Amino acid sequence: MIKARLHRARHGTAVAIALSLLPAPAAAQTVQELQRQIDELKAQIKVLTEAQKTAAGPVVVAPIAPPPTMVATAPVTPAAKREPERVASIPKPPSSRTPWYDRLRLRGYTQLRYNAVLDSQDAPGANGSRLRSVHDASVNDNGGFLLRRVRLVLQGDITDRLQLYFQHDFGAAVNNQSSTERRENFGQLRDVYADWFLDPERRLRLRFGQSKVPFGWENLQSSSNRLPLDRSDAINSGVPGERDVGVNLYYTPAPVQAIWDRLAKNKQKLFGNYGAFGLAVYNGQGTNRTERNGTLMKVAMATWPFALDGLGPLLRGQVLEVGGSAMFNRFRPELRSGGVSPIDYRDDRVAVHAILYPQPFGIQTEWKTGWGPQYDGSLGAVRSQRLGGGYVQLMADIGHTPLGRAIPYARWQRYRGGWKPNVDAPRLETDEWELGTEIQLVEALELTLAYARMERREADARRTGRATGDLIRTQLQFTY
């Protein structure tokens, strides 16, 4: 009851004050003038009412006339006890506001291949090498279609500073338990790691788990992004399978990230952000292999892109990226006599790389040298030996064609050295030319057509010599 009276008193006071401020209307006033005065009165009442609401403490109410009566006053409820005004709160970061399961995304890609051998010549002798590739099991006389990769990736931010990456491949092969016959399309873990960002800008991070080893630019580049169908033997021989279990530290300065972002916007094929500088330690025995000794593999990498805009109009927009990597390891290969070698073989390598991104013409090259386990036929045993090789690749982004965006390329590669994941670490002797083009038919569908001239020693320590052959290679890749 008291609150109701107080409310009426407030409005009465406001009306009285407003009326006192207006001149008395003359008899000759028109309807328009009266309406104007009424509107002014309403506006002044609104202003006074708002002022009354914001005032704290008791309010003394003036009498209203006629009739001249005094309205009893009562203290107004203190401002602290009134309903608080609603103030917009500072928005929280998305990762703090959104449930973790809504921040994860699922993606992947599949590669379907077909290799047609035009002609081949095995090495002479009963144990002469046959035409084979360590990267593609369908390079043989029987050929056929092959699901080279069937990848499924789950990734996302768990918190502002923690990111998850999980990748599985359903295109792996295993041998039959009762014979050596291959069984295709088994699941195999490829990556599972967490990135812990040590600064808000995400330039410095620690990575824990199974992930790619930062040795070789081409090794770090995703197979879904690479122009040639396979990685080169020389670079990939350091870490076949590209992965191991360990801990990484990556750092990317802001100027480097800005150049990479510009290249990504132009749809250049980058190696993935593994930092401009990286340090890592791993078990050192390879992808999904049990650790066999008490030593760790040490790896270091550095890469830096240089914008060449200031060197003249011909190089406007061009970017040259150069760098290198090194690994120091002790490796125990599997033996044909059974089990794993009890000897730690020296496995130390260094590599350099340079990439001029195709805008529209580009060149890419990597070379490696070092020591690694290798089968010695004269001794009939494995020992650490010198190795080396690399590749040179020319490419051009010619843009859209009637079939889609096209990027032709030509690559020559050479390698002399061991292939340590195979039994007895057999020696490879590779010289290969590949001419091809990648055509992006639609956004999620790419077709690669290539001709390859191969001269290869088979990755089997019992084989000798080199086989030669000409192939037409095709791959259809669809992403999802």
Side-chain angles (χ1 to χ4, degrees):
M1 179 64 72
I2 293 174
K3 290 183 178 181
R5 290 178 180 175
L6 178 59
H7 183 70
R8 288 195 297 270
R10 284 180 176 176
H11 283 281
T13 302
V15 171
I17 295 173
L19 287 173
S20 67
L21 297 175
L22 292 174
Q29 281 180 319
T30 64
V31 175
Q32 290 79 5
E33 291 174 338
L34 290 173
Q35 183 62 47
R36 178 179 57 79
Q37 293 178 357
I38 291 173
D39 293 338
E40 292 176 354
L41 175 63
K42 288 181 179 180
Q44 294 181 17
I45 291 174
K46 183 177 180 182
V47 172
L48 292 171
T49 303
E50 293 295 331
Q52 289 279 349
K53 288 183 179 180
T54 58
V59 177
V60 179
V61 183
I64 301 176
T69 57
M70 293 294 292
V71 180
T73 62
V76 179
T77 303
K81 295 184 179 180
R82 296 203 310 267
E83 182 179 355
E85 298 180 8
R86 294 185 179 180
V87 180
S89 60
I90 299 175
K92 296 180 180 179
S95 57
S96 300
R97 183 176 63 244
T98 309
W100 65 268
Y101 46 81
D102 287 339
R103 297 190 302 272
L104 298 177
R105 64 189 183 101
L106 194 65
R107 62 179 181 84
Y109 66 94
T110 296
Q111 294 175 340
L112 175 64
R113 288 190 182 178
Y114 186 84
N115 292 298
V117 178
L118 302 180
D119 66 83
S120 65
Q121 181 67 48
D122 294 344
N127 294 324
S129 293
R130 301 163 296 177
L131 188 63
R132 299 290 186 271
S133 171
V134 293
H135 304 287
D136 191 335
S138 65
V139 176
N140 57 59
D141 295 333
N142 298 323
F145 290 101
L146 173 71
L147 288 173
R148 179 61 183 87
R149 293 176 178 89
V150 184
R151 299 290 174 87
L152 199 60
V153 178
L154 178 69
Q155 69 177 119
D157 292 336
I158 302 302
T159 69
D160 295 339
R161 296 289 185 90
L162 191 65
Q163 188 178 76
L164 170 71
Y165 188 94
F166 177 89
Q167 180 176 209
H168 213 74
D169 184 15
F170 295 92
V174 298
N175 288 335
N176 185 8
Q177 294 182 354
S178 60
S179 69
T180 59
E181 183 184 0
R182 285 170 57 95
R183 293 288 188 267
E184 304 289 349
N185 306 327
F186 279 77
Q188 182 189 71
L189 178 66
R190 300 299 290 176
D191 301 272
V192 57
Y193 60 81
D195 278 347
W196 177 27
F197 298 98
L198 303 180
D199 64 316
E201 293 79 18
R202 296 191 168 193
R203 295 174 186 167
L204 182 65
R205 57 182 148 168
L206 280 172
R207 176 170 293 176
F208 310 90
Q210 178 164 299
S211 64
K212 283 187 175 180
V213 176
F215 180 82
W217 194 93
E218 187 186 51
N219 264 17
L220 292 174
Q221 187 181 41
S222 171
S223 295
S224 64
N225 227 14
R226 187 179 58 251
L227 274 176
L229 296 184
D230 298 314
R231 293 180 171 91
S232 63
D233 290 7
I235 305 303
N236 196 236
S237 66
V239 191
E242 302 88 51
R243 295 159 175 85
D244 210 328
V245 179
V247 179
N248 311 57
L249 177 66
Y250 291 125
Y251 175 66
T252 307
V256 173
Q257 189 61 57
I259 295 177
W260 284 344
D261 289 343
R262 189 183 86 183
L263 292 171
K265 185 178 180 180
N266 294 335
K267 297 183 178 180
Q268 293 295 320
K269 293 181 176 293
L270 305 179
F271 80 131
N273 192 343
Y274 289 87
F277 304 98
L279 295 172
V281 289
Y282 296 92
N283 283 340
Q285 297 304 299
T287 306
N288 297 328
R289 290 180 179 238
T290 304
E291 172 63 6
R292 295 293 184 178
N293 52 35
T295 64
L296 293 176
M297 177 171 66
K298 281 77 68 177
V299 185
M301 178 204 68
T303 186
W304 196 276
F306 296 90
L308 305 181
D309 303 79
L311 299 181
L314 293 178
L315 296 175
R316 185 171 299 155
Q318 292 281 6
V319 174
L320 173 66
E321 184 169 334
V322 296
S325 50
M327 58 175 283
F328 305 95
N329 189 30
R330 294 297 178 266
F331 188 83
R332 296 187 179 186
E334 295 183 58
L335 301 178
R336 192 168 300 278
S337 58
V340 176
S341 172
I343 302 173
D344 290 337
Y345 293 96
R346 181 183 177 185
D347 188 21
D348 301 334
R349 308 163 193 239
V350 294
V352 294
H353 63 261
I355 302 97
L356 179 67
Y357 290 91
Q359 300 184 97
F361 301 103
I363 183 170
Q364 178 176 321
T365 183
E366 289 186 82
W367 291 88
K368 180 187 74 174
T369 186
W371 293 78
Q374 181 181 147
Y375 186 78
D376 189 332
S378 61
L379 298 178
V382 178
R383 66 185 184 93
S384 289
Q385 300 183 64
R386 290 298 301 266
L387 52 81
Y391 69 91
V392 178
Q393 177 177 303
L394 304 177
M395 48 205 167
D397 186 351
I398 62 177
H400 291 283
T401 69
L403 295 177
R405 182 191 180 198
I407 308 178
Y409 68 91
R411 183 181 73 171
W412 169 72
Q413 65 159 312
R414 173 185 173 86
Y415 177 56
R416 301 291 188 271
W419 189 254
K420 64 184 182 182
N422 283 20
V423 175
D424 285 342
R427 175 179 172 84
L428 295 185
E429 297 177 3
T430 303
D431 288 286
E432 180 178 302
W433 283 92
E434 183 174 325
L435 306 174
T437 184
E438 176 190 279
I439 304 172
Q440 189 175 43
L441 302 174
V442 294
E443 184 176 356
L445 191 64
E446 293 180 356
L447 175 65
T448 301
L449 301 172
Y451 161 78
R453 171 65 179 178
M454 296 183 176
E455 295 184 34
R456 288 179 168 274
R457 181 167 182 165
E458 189 174 351
D460 187 331
R462 299 167 297 184
R463 299 286 180 175
T464 60
R466 293 201 298 172
T468 61
D470 298 277
L471 295 83
I472 297 295
R473 310 189 68 193
T474 60
Q475 175 179 280
L476 187 68
Q477 173 180 290
F478 47 96
T479 58
Y480 36 85

